[in-house]
Amino acid sequence: MATDTGTADSETLATEDGVRRRDFINIAAVSAAGAGAVITLVPLVSQMAPSKDVLAESTTEVDLTPIKPGQAIKAMFRKQPLFVRNLTAKEIAAANAVPLSDLRDPQSLEERTKDGKLNWLITMGVCTHLGCVPLGAGEGENRGEFGGYFCPCHGSQYDTAARIRKGPAPKNLEVPEYKFETDTKIVVG
Amino acid sequence: MSFPWAQHYQPKAPFMRWLDEKLPLPRLVYNAIGGGYPVPRNLNYAWNFGVLAGFCLVLQIVTGVILAMHYAPNALVAFDSTEHIMRDVNWGWLMRYAHANGASAFFVVVYLHIFRGFFYGSYKAPREMVWLLGVTIFLLMMATAFMGYVLPWGQMSFWGAKVITGLFGAIPFVGEPLQIWLLGGFAPDNAALNRFFSLHFLLPFVIAGVIILHIWALHIPGSSNPTGVEVKSESDTVPFHPYYTAKDGFGLGVFLILYCAFLFFMPNALGHPDNYIPANPMATPAHIVPEWYFWPYYAILRAFTADFFFVPAKLMGVMAMFSSILVWFFLPWLDRSPVRSGHYRPTFRKFFWVLVIDLLVLGYCGGSPAEEPFVMISQIATAYYFLHFLVIIPLVSAFERPEPLPFSITEAVLGSDKKAVLGENTTPAT
């Protein structure tokens, strides 16, 4: 602005480097409006996050009593399949016989199960490649070359510890957070 | 902006004169796609696809708004309401088939529109902004089409949503929270379906807005043409109306014949039978494929099977898939040749056709199961795809010797630079 035609005493209010009171009001007003606009984004963005009812379903209890050694069941955890498998002694031995250096995602069966519960293998039923549901939890389904799970989409094969052994998947089947509530009941999530 | 010889809008009816003073909307239309827009006289049928794409957008909006009157975006009833449209709603089957096949038709004409641009160098100065806006429209179209395919909530809808949103999970650190935020849950469910419906309704109108910018940016330099030589004088142009409204009208007729052949005689040919099975989160279809128009990108996504330096294979695939389209944004600066049209660029022309074949190969592999030999073919074709844009195009534009250009559009059409006389070529042969 070339000349200031504001209030009569605006000249006297100007500081040495030409900053006027109006500049302060300007900056303060725009900053307040800007901060308000940014804060308004919080509800606009967070409404997209999972709602309370979705979060309320985010834990699942599974009763282990009916699962005999060698059997597996498909439960539902967070709207996705959860594989709960009771390993036989032979399957545990097969998993432990594999040297970790042979694995794409090296993890021992012990790391993937709870202490003293080596036979209870609890994993997500979600292939780590593109998210298909692998076969092998149901009775009579193809368990693949390694006796664990087999994904029909792109041929990923998992062993008896649900570790990736062959095919395009990058990682072992995910072990979700869970704990043993009693010896025969787990709480997942 | 227009050429100085452009015809001026002169309303004759008193009402139109009154309207022109208050709201010059007819004037805007006249100058945009009417007699007031001078267009090179030599446009061939490759220039029909812009208008056809505009027609497809209108078709999709009309059928889509109607479908939304009968569809319910709730995971419990979405599949049933789609079947309700097919069986119970008057003409519902026609609306749904017209919309589903309309999406394919839209992609056909847009792909042809884009490849017209590739061949004739339409992306070059002074039309870079037209090109950038066009690529933006294409990205918006892909997002819209993907979300629309989820709405019937069949098996392919569900697993397509799962695989595609799973791609975001590949992003380091923020991937998984981002994926949960996008879906509003841990897997596709009601929240995801609802927001996809909302955005699927919104995005076409965003596309319409960007199309207005696309046409606005085009009208500043005016349309390109098959010679790539800029307009020099009035004899190089004809008014858009009636010359190209008529030519586009003919193209629209041909297009509608092909479209109706699909719509009425093979409405499910481009769909997937698994999508008539209700979504089931506990069982995956044996062979997940996207719609045909996404096959080339799906092939690029799956071409990365081994970790690349420190980057995991899945992330690499995701980045390559997005880059395969983002690279188009840089095309005006990758191709440095001052000659626009492929007609006068003998080397460029050959590589153009190799790219067409490469994309067809990628498309075929993307629709096939992820097993050999398709994986290896996808890898080779993906490598060539990026080689084409990042190496071949810059090198060809540096070393190629183009053929001589005509002096003007008129010379290219008539053989000499004389002024055309109305009716001179219409004398019937005896």
Side-chain angles (χ1 to χ4, degrees):
Chain A
M1 239 173 273
T3 56
D4 196 303
T5 53
T7 52
D9 60 347
S10 66
E11 200 72 31
T12 57
L13 290 171
T15 56
E16 276 167 20
D17 48 352
V19 178
R20 291 168 304 131
R21 210 157 72 170
R22 188 162 294 183
D23 292 330
F24 171 78
I25 294 168
N26 226 325
I27 291 166
V30 171
S31 308
V38 170
I39 290 165
T40 312
L41 286 178
V42 173
L44 293 180
V45 170
S46 69
Q47 55 82 18
M48 296 253 300
S51 54
K52 296 284 184 292
D53 61 323
V54 171
L55 292 174
E57 289 177 359
S58 63
T59 60
T60 299
E61 288 185 4
V62 182
D63 178 16
L64 302 178
T65 30
I67 311 168
K68 302 278 168 284
Q71 283 188 329
I73 61 157
K74 265 191 221 178
M76 178 93 95
F77 172 57
R78 294 181 177 173
K79 301 271 174 180
Q80 296 178 87
L82 177 79
F83 292 165
V84 181
R85 186 156 168 177
N86 191 350
L87 298 174
T88 61
K90 212 172 144 194
E91 285 171 330
I92 294 171
N96 286 334
V98 186
L100 288 188
S101 53
D102 280 9
L103 296 170
R104 187 178 300 170
D105 182 10
Q107 267 184 322
S108 66
L109 182 61
E110 242 158 69
E111 289 171 78
R112 293 172 61 73
T113 50
K114 299 289 177 199
D115 289 340
K117 309 277 187 190
L118 212 55
N119 60 322
W120 289 108
L121 179 67
I122 287 103
T123 60
M124 297 304 297
V126 179
C127 181
T128 55
H129 180 226
L130 290 174
C132 299
V133 179
L135 300 173
E139 204 70 49
E141 283 181 354
N142 184 357
R143 289 185 163 184
E145 285 174 39
F146 301 91
Y149 299 104
F150 170 72
C151 182
C153 289
H154 303 113
S156 291
Q157 314 227 19
Y158 298 88
D159 66 11
T160 50
R163 295 175 298 198
I164 181 67
R165 297 295 290 276
K166 200 173 172 186
K171 294 230 174 312
N172 304 332
L173 288 188
E174 188 195 336
V175 178
E177 267 182 47
Y178 70 95
K179 59 174 189 284
F180 276 88
E181 196 105 302
T182 66
D183 270 357
T184 56
K185 195 168 94 180
I186 54 166
V187 177
V188 189
Chain B
M1 198 226 82
S2 191
F3 299 112
W5 55 84
Q7 294 172 31
H8 288 283
Y9 177 65
Q10 282 164 330
K12 288 180 194 74
F15 172 72
M16 296 305 277
R17 275 203 296 276
W18 178 85
L19 183 63
D20 191 46
E21 280 172 19
K22 274 74 184 172
L23 180 75
L25 189 64
R27 177 181 292 272
L28 182 77
V29 173
Y30 181 87
N31 289 332
I33 47 169
Y37 179 45
V39 187
R41 61 190 289 176
N42 59 336
L43 301 191
N44 58 29
Y45 281 109
W47 265 258
N48 271 11
F49 298 111
V51 165
L52 292 181
F55 174 81
C56 285
L57 180 69
V58 173
L59 174 79
Q60 290 303 83
I61 289 179
V62 171
T63 54
V65 167
I66 290 170
L67 288 171
M69 294 177 186
H70 305 282
Y71 167 81
N74 183 299
L76 294 175
V77 292
F79 186 87
D80 292 343
S81 74
T82 308
E83 286 309 301
H84 158 75
I85 290 170
M86 292 302 286
R87 293 160 193 233
D88 304 334
V89 174
N90 300 318
W91 298 97
W93 60 272
L94 178 67
M95 293 302 139
R96 180 164 171 267
Y97 279 153
H99 196 71
N101 286 284
S104 283
F106 201 172
F107 273 95
V108 168
V109 296
V110 162
Y111 275 126
L112 292 168
H113 191 58
I114 291 169
F115 275 81
R116 190 286 317 271
F118 280 150
F119 184 83
Y120 291 105
S122 305
Y123 45 83
K124 289 186 185 179
R127 295 181 188 81
E128 304 99 311
M129 188 51 77
V130 185
W131 177 257
L132 300 180
L133 290 166
V135 180
T136 307
I137 292 169
F138 184 64
L139 291 171
L140 287 169
M141 267 180 73
M142 293 176 78
T144 311
F146 159 66
M147 288 191 273
Y149 194 59
V150 175
L151 301 185
W153 210 238
Q155 272 290 67
M156 278 295 163
S157 298
F158 180 88
W159 290 97
K162 182 145 192 186
V163 169
I164 300 298
T165 54
L167 300 180
F168 290 93
I171 300 167
F173 311 116
V174 296
E176 208 168 314
L178 179 67
Q179 186 188 347
I180 290 171
W181 179 75
L182 285 171
L183 288 172
F186 304 99
D189 200 11
N190 202 37
L193 179 64
N194 257 295
R195 67 189 55 177
F196 282 9
F197 177 68
S198 171
L199 294 172
H200 184 72
F201 207 119
L202 166 72
L203 286 183
F205 299 96
V206 176
I207 291 176
V210 184
I211 286 175
I212 289 172
L213 300 183
H214 186 64
I215 297 173
W216 188 4
L218 172 71
H219 280 51
I220 290 169
S223 298
S224 179
N225 70 87
T227 65
V229 176
E230 287 294 310
V231 167
K232 289 195 170 75
S233 66
E234 191 178 354
S235 71
D236 289 343
T237 66
V238 289
F240 188 85
H241 179 73
Y243 290 91
Y244 288 112
T245 43
K247 189 160 183 158
D248 287 334
F250 176 76
L252 182 63
V254 175
F255 163 81
L256 283 175
I257 290 170
L258 295 172
Y259 170 67
C260 289
F262 273 92
L263 174 54
F264 292 113
F265 293 96
M266 38 184 171
N268 286 310
L270 299 171
H272 203 290
D274 278 40
N275 220 27
Y276 284 105
I277 304 170
N280 178 3
M282 302 299 275
T284 315
H287 177 41
I288 301 180
V289 277
E291 292 279 83
W292 69 267
Y293 37 78
F294 291 144
W295 285 355
Y297 317 106
Y298 197 52
I300 291 174
L301 169 74
R302 295 189 305 185
F304 292 84
T305 51
D307 295 359
F308 199 73
F309 298 110
F310 300 105
V311 188
K314 195 169 146 188
L315 177 61
M316 202 62 210
V318 173
M319 289 198 304
M321 186 179 73
F322 286 112
S323 308
S324 67
I325 295 173
L326 296 182
V327 71
W328 295 355
F329 278 118
F330 299 94
L331 190 56
W333 298 277
L334 289 169
D335 183 356
R336 310 294 304 178
S337 173
V339 176
R340 289 193 188 89
S341 172
H343 270 311
Y344 304 99
R345 301 186 59 190
T347 317
F348 171 85
R349 192 161 63 215
K350 292 187 188 85
F351 282 112
F352 167 83
W353 288 111
V354 178
L355 178 72
V356 172
I357 294 165
D358 187 62
L359 261 170
L360 292 175
V361 169
L362 277 173
Y364 186 82
C365 291
S368 304
E371 53 196 39
E372 295 299 349
F374 302 116
V375 174
M376 206 222 283
I377 297 171
S378 309
Q379 288 168 339
I380 296 167
T382 301
Y384 181 80
Y385 181 90
F386 286 103
L387 199 68
H388 175 92
F389 286 103
L390 297 175
V391 177
I392 293 173
I393 287 280
L395 284 182
V396 165
S397 61
F399 294 108
E400 178 185 48
R401 185 194 168 100
E403 286 158 7
L405 291 173
F407 172 73
S408 71
I409 293 170
T410 308
E411 189 191 285
V413 174
L414 299 176
S416 66
D417 201 13
K418 69 179 173 108
K419 197 171 167 65
V421 179
L422 186 64
E424 67 176 349
N425 294 327
T426 55
T427 322
T430 47

